[in-house]
Amino acid sequence: MDGVTAAGVTARARIEARADGRGGTALPVLEGGGPLAPRRTRAHGTEARVLLVGAMSGPLGGDRFAVEARVGEGARLHLGSAAATLALPGQAKGEARYDVRIDVAAGGELHWLPEQLISARGSDLHVTTRAELAPGARLLLREEQVLGRAGEEPGRLTSRLTVRLGGAPLLDQELSCGPGAPGGWDGPAVLGGHRAVGQLVLVAPGSPANPAEARMLGEGTALMPLAGRAVLVSAVAPDALALRRRLDEALALLTADRK
Amino acid sequence: MPLMSRAALLVLADGRFPAGGHAHSGGAEAAVKAGRVTDAATLERFCRGRLHTTGLVAASLAAAAVLGLAADELDAAADARTPSPALRTTARRLGRQLVRAARATWPSPELDALAKAFPKGAHQPVVLGLTARAAGLEPLDAAYCALYESVSGPATATVRLLSLDPFDATGVLARLAPELDRVADRAVEAARRALTEGVDDLPAASAPLLEIGAQAHAAWPVRLFAS
């Protein structure tokens, strides 16, 4: 499953959550290692918690990282990462890949709240996050991209987020930035000089009958109801700290809305 | 399908084709107000960003519609690629206006069925593709039409918003032309790939500031342009 070849490191984490029949969540599959080691942490009520702990840096050029998370009917899983992911240039030529696959069954709930992805100068990373939700599944997902470490030019980063609900597309967004990205990525239509960009997706079928209303949540942050019982918060910010502050405020608002 | 007539492309792409596009700035009004577009140089960067994001997405949807991919699947794909509810509403309104003009210009059972299936309007690029199909045009023609609209709208609007010299705005469009050629080819390639890989495979290039800006713009009490 994990290995180091001349082309780069291949690493995969697999997590499967199932209702344990006693009101809690069991983790029959918890696999991974090296840069993607899943660690079970203290449960929170009926929710199992897992943290991805990286024992190596990366991804570097040529590396292949993958995370697979499956949440069964009635199970609740909170999946985070212990630290930011830092994309760096590597010895191996070519882009690195980071693929996240999420599968949530009806009545299951996944919170996928990793730390930031930082695109360092000279790196080349292609990220895909694909969530397949059954009707009645719940999802809270955050992704944050930071273009370069402090004061640094970014690397090349392409990130696609696809959420499907009951087999139909709910959200499909790709962002390409950095040297070699299609023109205008840093211009006034796309990022306009902002160095941090993020999204928060909430799919909550059990939420109140009146859906969330579209509104601005301060500068560079918009709350947008999607077609279906889901909302997206999209934000741009000058840096990682400001972005996290905006998304945390939005998250507090969204979770308060649900109560 | 009628015989191919390249001149039909001129009719469809003409800014005077009565499909309501003139009332929209393609996000330029919000960008001007925010101080992100201030002159011809920043307009060019704005248009270049649109071309490679929403332009590419619209062009590939339109080309896919010409190839005969299912309109309801393309419309759902457009929804998923348009998180801003203000932009979804705009796209459907423009789609409804275009289907009306198109049915009068190039009557076709497919356009009739589309109008019936989407009484509030389908996404404009899907309608554009089916219109091109009804006019006997090819996927590449529809892609060009969508891409040219994606940059000519903001350029024309900025002339009014900033009192920009119209010659400068036209110069921006001319400088983008070689890039527009390349994106049109990419859009058609993507549409052809979707024939075998499915509609999910179509490009999903996004522009966060266009989406966020559209939401800010929709909340203004007074606007010059509808979007």
Side-chain angles (χ1 to χ4, degrees):
Chain A
M1 170 161 298
D2 299 336
V4 183
T5 66
V9 174
T10 299
R12 177 151 55 143
R14 281 181 62 214
I15 302 114
E16 205 173 312
R18 258 187 238 153
D20 66 3
R22 302 187 306 274
T25 297
L27 299 173
V29 179
L30 195 63
E31 297 174 0
L36 289 175
R39 297 278 177 268
R40 184 166 195 166
T41 61
R42 187 196 293 260
H44 190 86
T46 60
E47 178 188 75
R49 295 199 157 202
V50 172
L51 211 52
L52 292 172
V53 181
M56 302 158 83
S57 71
L60 313 181
D63 289 357
R64 299 277 180 274
F65 286 13
V67 173
E68 288 172 25
R70 298 178 76 88
V71 178
E73 199 173 321
R76 297 180 65 207
L77 174 65
H78 181 114
L79 187 55
S81 66
T85 298
L86 180 62
L88 290 164
Q91 300 279 316
K93 290 265 175 268
E95 64 170 22
R97 285 198 66 103
Y98 196 140
D99 298 305
V100 178
R101 293 293 173 269
I102 288 166
D103 207 306
V104 187
E109 178 164 351
L110 174 68
H111 290 190
W112 168 235
L113 299 167
E115 295 304 305
Q116 296 93 347
L117 170 64
I118 304 166
S119 169
R121 181 177 179 172
S123 66
D124 184 356
L125 176 64
H126 192 120
V127 183
T128 64
T129 303
R130 192 178 171 91
E132 289 280 354
L133 310 179
R138 292 162 167 271
L139 174 73
L140 173 64
L141 180 151
R142 176 182 67 209
E143 60 167 42
E144 297 164 296
Q145 284 116 26
V146 181
L147 309 190
R149 290 166 290 195
E152 179 188 56
E153 283 302 301
R156 175 88 162 86
L157 176 64
T158 300
S159 178
R160 183 158 180 171
L161 169 63
T162 308
V163 182
R164 290 167 57 83
L165 178 60
L170 177 67
L171 178 68
D172 204 339
Q173 294 272 276
E174 182 175 274
L175 185 67
S176 269
C177 46
W185 66 268
D186 202 20
V190 187
L191 290 179
H194 292 91
R195 281 295 169 263
V197 53
Q199 313 193 77
L200 201 61
V201 184
L202 178 68
V203 184
S207 58
N210 50 328
E213 261 181 55
R215 64 196 125 147
M216 294 301 290
L217 305 175
E219 204 194 333
T221 310
L223 187 158
M224 303 182 283
L226 302 174
R229 253 200 206 300
V231 292
L232 173 75
V233 175
S234 182
V236 291
D239 56 49
L241 212 62
L243 177 67
R244 178 59 65 86
R245 203 178 310 125
R246 285 171 198 188
L247 292 182
D248 277 350
E249 283 168 11
L251 184 57
L253 193 76
L254 286 176
T255 40
D257 273 5
R258 291 170 69 194
K259 279 169 193 155
Chain B
M1 220 189 279
L3 286 174
M4 162 80 188
S5 155
R6 183 51 57 74
L9 177 59
L10 296 176
V11 177
L12 182 56
D14 192 330
R16 287 158 293 194
F17 189 74
H22 61 275
H24 298 266
S25 79
E29 187 169 24
V32 165
K33 172 83 175 285
R36 293 195 296 270
V37 170
T38 54
D39 54 15
T42 44
L43 171 65
E44 184 169 335
R45 297 181 72 207
F46 180 85
C47 288
R48 180 168 285 118
R50 261 182 78 82
L51 190 68
H52 289 285
T53 56
T54 54
L56 171 65
V57 169
S60 58
L61 287 166
V66 182
L67 288 171
L69 273 91
D72 56 344
E73 277 187 47
L74 293 173
D75 191 75
D79 256 352
R81 286 158 177 74
T82 318
S84 154
L87 289 182
R88 287 200 299 275
T89 303
T90 295
R92 292 193 182 284
R93 189 171 299 149
L94 286 170
R96 194 176 53 200
Q97 286 169 314
L98 177 57
V99 86
R100 195 180 301 150
R103 286 170 82 191
T105 314
W106 294 285
S108 104
E110 279 182 354
L111 288 173
D112 295 345
L114 184 72
K116 199 174 166 201
F118 294 93
K120 291 181 175 171
H123 276 262
Q124 195 268 1
V126 181
V127 182
L128 179 65
L130 283 178
T131 302
R133 195 173 149 91
L137 293 167
E138 295 186 357
L140 187 62
D141 300 317
Y144 266 103
C145 216
L147 287 166
Y148 187 67
E149 268 175 16
S150 79
V151 292
S152 66
T156 312
T158 304
V159 169
R160 287 175 65 190
L161 290 161
L162 285 177
S163 304
L164 190 72
D165 187 333
F167 292 154
D168 288 341
T170 307
V172 164
L173 295 177
R175 278 193 298 280
L176 288 172
E179 237 164 302
L180 199 149
D181 288 335
R182 287 196 295 276
V183 181
D185 287 339
R186 264 191 77 195
V188 173
E189 270 170 42
R192 291 201 189 283
R193 210 168 43 235
L195 280 174
T196 50
E197 302 296 312
V199 165
D200 276 2
D201 192 62
L202 288 172
S206 66
L209 282 176
L210 286 180
E211 301 281 335
I212 296 167
Q215 290 307 118
H217 183 265
W220 298 359
V222 181
R223 303 180 290 259
L224 193 56
F225 290 92
S227 75

